[in-house]
Amino acid sequence: MYLADSRSTDARGTQAPAPDTPPVRRRAVVPSTVLALGAVSLITDVSSEMVTAVLPLYVVAGLGLSPLGFGLLDGINNGVGALVRLAGGHLADRGGRRHRLVAGLGYGLSALCKPLLPLAHTLPVLSAVLAVDRTGKGLRTAPRDAMISLATEPAHRGRAFGVHRAMDTTGALLGPLVAFAVLRAAVDGYDAVFTVSACVAVLGVLVLVLFVPRHIEAPTDAVRPSEAVRPPAAVRLPRPSEPSRPPAVRDALGLLRRPDLRRLTVCAALLGLTTVSDSFLYLLLQREGDLPTHLFPLLPLGTAASFLLLAVPLGALADRVGRRRLFLAGHGVLLLGYGLVLCPWHGVPAVLAVLVLHGTFYAATDGVLAAATASVVPDRHQGAGQALVGTGQALARFVCSLAFGAAWSLWDGRTALTVTAAGLAVSAVVAAFVLRTVDGTPTTATTQEARA
């Protein structure tokens, strides 16, 4: 008896833990799954942005399509991608969370399109190839964000999405640079860009297959060793949950009956209706800021660099101060950028200030909105929830692009931006009122339902 007691106490007489007690496993703030998905997005964005950088010149100069026709073509394809996102989110939630399978299908479709671009010498063929590419993008977006949400603890989702978006933006920075390097080095410039882009896209699919887990489970709270060995008598351990049926379409659409998700979707769409597309903003910035024409291709790189530097710190800030607040603050930063475009202060400093504000807007809203969505949606519906909010925002921005283009044609770019800025200010006030009870952090009821 004495020997047994002496083995279980230390030199000070305190009882030592049992030798077979399992250690507490702490989940990393940014799991390896998020880093793997970030690498996939980085590689895929290099491939996509290579094509995006040369496609306008290829279509307008090579195929003879007018700029207005190219704008309509791009807008329609973006709309197709937004609608397909709903299907991607729903399919990923069915059949035991097949998020990686649906995401891989989306990445694979985009990779298959790249070798077909050199063969697209007519507008119908080019439209079909781009439509398939946008379909792939629409399929993969919601499952990818769902995997990030499921792999990360709720308290750290803002940081995790910030890391992913930073890696994604790194690809957006490298893509145009690689495209221009290939154009300068190759004889058949456009065909060479499309071929290299296809090879890079295949590499992204391989990274997804090799390094992203097939099944991702939501994190659970760590259990203290003492509770794991000797649970209190008054505490009843939960029974293992029985497998539930796969989510149906009506279940996905029924998510909008959840007040928090409905508010987020409405506000994302409302603010998207007054968010000018990047292309229009860069064109206005070049004209209003008296920027030389040869520097115009560098404007997206300025936004991407700012986004890259601020995505992680602002994502972590959202976890602390509330994702709703930072999401609204990001649109306030965008409104300030609109004001700088319209002010009489011109020149390179003004252009740089607008680009920094533009990148800050994306860093404060893109991943933050996805993290806020993940916190108000059950785990089994993460794909559908992300798709609903993302589709609402994407379709609203598509409508804004069409309306802004029409207003520019009817009036002028400066007047169109003034009206849009006024609409953004009103929308931000309305959104702040609607989201006053949603902070983007998981409540106890939501967390319990997500784990049920």
Side-chain angles (χ1 to χ4, degrees):
M1 193 70 178
Y2 174 77
L3 293 176
D5 290 340
S6 64
R7 291 192 189 100
S8 61
T9 57
D10 57 14
R12 294 174 295 179
T14 59
Q15 186 175 1
D20 57 347
T21 299
V24 178
R25 298 184 63 183
R26 296 184 180 273
R27 184 177 291 262
V29 174
V30 181
S32 59
T33 300
V34 177
L35 298 179
L37 288 170
V40 174
S41 295
L42 188 156
I43 297 170
T44 304
D45 248 36
V46 171
S47 172
S48 300
E49 293 301 322
M50 287 179 65
V51 175
T52 302
V54 302
L55 191 61
L57 292 176
Y58 175 72
V59 171
V60 176
L63 302 183
L65 188 66
S66 67
L68 179 60
F70 173 75
L72 182 60
L73 174 66
D74 185 65
I76 292 175
N77 287 326
N78 284 327
V80 170
L83 292 176
V84 173
R85 188 179 302 185
L86 289 173
H90 172 67
L91 291 175
D93 289 337
R94 291 183 61 85
R97 293 176 181 167
R98 297 179 179 176
H99 298 97
R100 194 187 74 158
L101 177 62
V102 178
L105 177 61
Y107 283 110
L109 282 176
S110 296
L112 289 175
C113 290
K114 301 303 189 300
L116 300 178
L117 285 173
L119 306 177
H121 298 301
T122 62
L123 181 58
V125 177
L126 180 63
S127 301
V129 173
L130 292 179
V132 175
D133 178 70
R134 296 296 182 178
T135 299
K137 181 176 177 61
L139 281 176
R140 68 180 182 251
T141 300
R144 180 202 65 199
D145 287 348
M147 285 189 285
I148 296 174
S149 302
L150 292 172
T152 310
E153 292 183 354
H156 302 304
R157 281 172 175 161
R159 184 192 298 269
F161 275 102
V163 170
H164 175 268
R165 296 312 195 255
M167 297 178 71
D168 183 89
T169 307
T170 303
L173 276 170
L174 296 176
L177 299 178
V178 175
F180 286 121
V182 173
L183 280 176
R184 291 179 61 90
V187 178
D188 297 327
Y190 294 123
D191 291 349
V193 169
F194 297 149
T195 302
V196 174
S197 174
C199 296
V200 176
V202 171
L203 177 61
V205 177
L206 290 177
V207 173
L208 175 73
V209 173
L210 294 176
F211 296 100
V212 176
R214 180 173 300 178
H215 297 291
I216 301 174
E217 297 297 332
T220 56
D221 293 335
V223 181
R224 289 177 296 179
S226 58
E227 294 180 351
V229 177
R230 299 179 59 186
V235 178
R236 296 182 61 187
L237 297 178
R239 296 179 180 178
S241 59
E242 297 180 358
S244 57
R245 62 176 177 83
V249 176
R250 62 178 179 272
D251 298 329
L253 297 178
L255 290 174
L256 291 177
R257 291 195 294 267
R258 302 175 64 88
D260 290 347
L261 182 64
R262 186 170 62 248
R263 293 190 186 104
L264 279 175
T265 305
V266 170
C267 291
L270 179 64
L271 293 168
L273 286 173
T274 51
T275 302
V276 179
S277 70
D278 296 353
S279 299
F280 280 127
L281 183 62
Y282 296 146
L283 186 57
L284 274 171
L285 188 59
Q286 188 268 332
R287 293 187 177 184
E288 297 294 330
D290 297 327
L291 191 69
T293 305
H294 67 276
L295 295 180
F296 181 81
L298 298 179
L299 294 180
L301 299 182
T303 296
S306 179
F307 188 2
L308 172 63
L309 293 175
L310 296 175
V312 176
L314 288 183
L317 179 64
D319 291 334
R320 294 196 300 269
V321 305
R323 294 151 194 166
R324 168 190 63 88
R325 294 184 180 90
L326 195 64
F327 179 71
L328 294 174
H331 286 84
V333 170
L334 180 64
L335 184 60
L336 181 59
Y338 289 169
L340 284 181
V341 175
L342 296 172
C343 77
W345 178 41
H346 300 311
V348 175
V351 171
L352 292 177
V354 173
L355 294 178
V356 170
L357 292 173
H358 197 219
T360 303
F361 156 71
Y362 277 119
T365 58
D366 190 13
V368 172
L369 178 61
T373 302
S375 299
V376 297
V377 177
D379 288 337
R380 66 192 299 263
H381 292 298
Q382 279 294 327
Q386 295 288 349
L388 285 171
V389 177
T391 300
Q393 184 186 58
L395 290 178
R397 289 181 176 179
F398 168 65
V399 172
C400 179
S401 295
L402 296 180
F404 191 87
W408 191 333
S409 301
L410 182 62
W411 303 316
D412 59 76
R414 188 178 184 86
T415 303
L417 184 62
T418 302
V419 174
T420 305
L424 178 59
V426 174
S427 299
V429 173
V430 174
F433 176 78
V434 174
L435 295 177
R436 65 190 185 281
T437 59
V438 182
D439 60 0
T441 56
T443 61
T444 303
T446 301
T447 304
Q448 291 175 349
E449 180 180 358
R451 295 174 182 169

